[in-house]
């Protein structure tokens, strides 16, 4: 059974010990997404892009880190969720647009521009053998659009939950999202890696 884990970096806190130095930024038409997609394939996904712990005041957040590759000029975060059988789910998440108000019409063009730019690069750069699925409805949002990216042949996880390798999501709601998430427009690109047994265990 496949299940998509949506917005893990927003709804949860996660990740591991200090990472390696960040690789050189990729150049060319795939410069925003290729380093993230490549790091997804590491033995411990996104370890090479892992920076310092995110902070809550003076307290480091466990398993939650700053990303060392900023996609589309936006700051990204990386995290780990453990407890999926014997495994873990790793995320690299970039908020590409966040409306500063509930102004649906005023912010729509900027949100759609951020979504379209990322969608075009993802379509060009995910590689052969990947499939793209589109969804335009979600009961929680007035406006919703999502692209999900996954290899045509992808093995299931032994944990019983298999996450989609990547998604790009645009939504609008006048209400708060989930556990204190923002209202208004939100565009998020998230790449996800999954291992049945975390590295080092």
């Amino acid at each position: 059974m496949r299940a998509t884990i949506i917005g893990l970096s927003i709804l949860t806190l996660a990740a591991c010990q200090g990472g390696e130095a960040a690789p050189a930024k990729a150049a060319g038409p795939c410069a925003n997404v290729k380093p993230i997609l490549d790091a997804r394939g590491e033995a411990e996904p996104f370890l090479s892009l892992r920076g310092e712990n995110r902070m809550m005041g003076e307290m480091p957040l466990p398993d939650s880190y700053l990303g060392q590759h900023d996609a589309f000029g936006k700051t990204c975060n990386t995290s780990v969720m453990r407890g999926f059988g014997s495994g873990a789910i790793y995320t690299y998440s970039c908020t590409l647009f966040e409306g500063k108000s509930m102004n649906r019409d005023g912010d729509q063009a900027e949100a759609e521009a951020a979504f379209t730019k990322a969608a075009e690069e993802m379509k060009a750069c995910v590689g052969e053998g990947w499939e793209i699925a589109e969804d335009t409805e979600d009961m929680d949002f007035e406006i919703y659009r999502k692209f999900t990216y996954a290899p045509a042949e992808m093995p299931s996880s032994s944990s019983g939950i298999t996450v989609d390798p990547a998604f790009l999501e645009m939504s609008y709601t006048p209400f708060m999202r989930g556990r204190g998430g923002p209202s208004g427009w939100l565009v998020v690109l998230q790449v996800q890696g999954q291992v049945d047994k975390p590295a080092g265990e």
Side-chain angles (χ1 to χ4, degrees):
M1 180 182 79
R2 295 185 62 201
T4 304
I5 306 299
I6 300 175
L8 294 176
S9 63
I10 298 172
L11 302 179
T12 62
L13 306 174
C16 218
Q17 308 125 2
E20 304 165 3
K25 290 189 177 180
C30 296
N32 290 294
V33 302
K34 189 175 186 300
I36 306 171
L37 294 171
D38 287 349
R40 176 183 172 271
E42 296 170 353
E44 186 169 355
F46 314 118
L47 181 61
S48 67
L49 301 183
R50 189 181 297 171
E52 298 179 352
N53 281 86
R54 297 175 67 193
M55 304 292 290
M56 181 178 289
E58 297 182 357
M59 181 180 70
L61 296 174
D63 286 350
S64 186
Y65 294 82
L66 299 174
Q68 294 194 86
H69 175 74
D70 297 341
F72 301 97
K74 303 298 182 180
T75 301
C76 303
N77 299 308
T78 184
S79 63
V80 182
M81 285 186 63
R82 305 184 189 279
F84 290 86
S86 61
I89 294 172
Y90 298 76
T91 69
Y92 198 90
S93 184
C94 308
T95 299
L96 305 184
F97 179 80
E98 181 178 340
K100 302 303 181 185
S101 70
M102 292 184 292
N103 186 346
R104 171 174 163 170
D105 295 335
D107 290 340
Q108 185 166 2
E110 192 172 354
E112 289 181 342
F115 181 84
T116 298
K117 182 177 181 180
E120 289 174 350
E121 184 164 330
M122 284 293 290
K123 182 178 180 179
C125 301
V126 290
E128 296 182 5
W130 282 56
E131 295 180 341
I132 304 174
E134 183 175 10
D135 190 2
T136 58
E137 293 185 3
D138 188 298
M139 293 175 56
D140 292 331
F141 304 109
E142 288 186 11
I143 299 176
Y144 186 77
R145 194 174 180 198
K146 178 181 179 182
F147 288 120
T148 300
Y149 308 85
E153 300 294 333
M154 189 173 72
S156 297
S157 168
S158 62
S159 69
I161 297 176
T162 302
V163 299
D164 292 315
F167 67 81
L168 173 65
E169 185 178 60
M170 176 179 69
S171 60
Y172 171 81
T173 176
F175 310 109
M176 279 197 317
R177 291 171 168 83
R179 303 173 186 173
S183 56
W185 287 95
L186 188 65
V187 180
V188 174
L189 172 65
Q190 183 157 298
V191 180
Q192 305 181 142
Q194 184 171 6
V195 294
D196 286 336
K197 187 175 182 180
E201 294 188 13

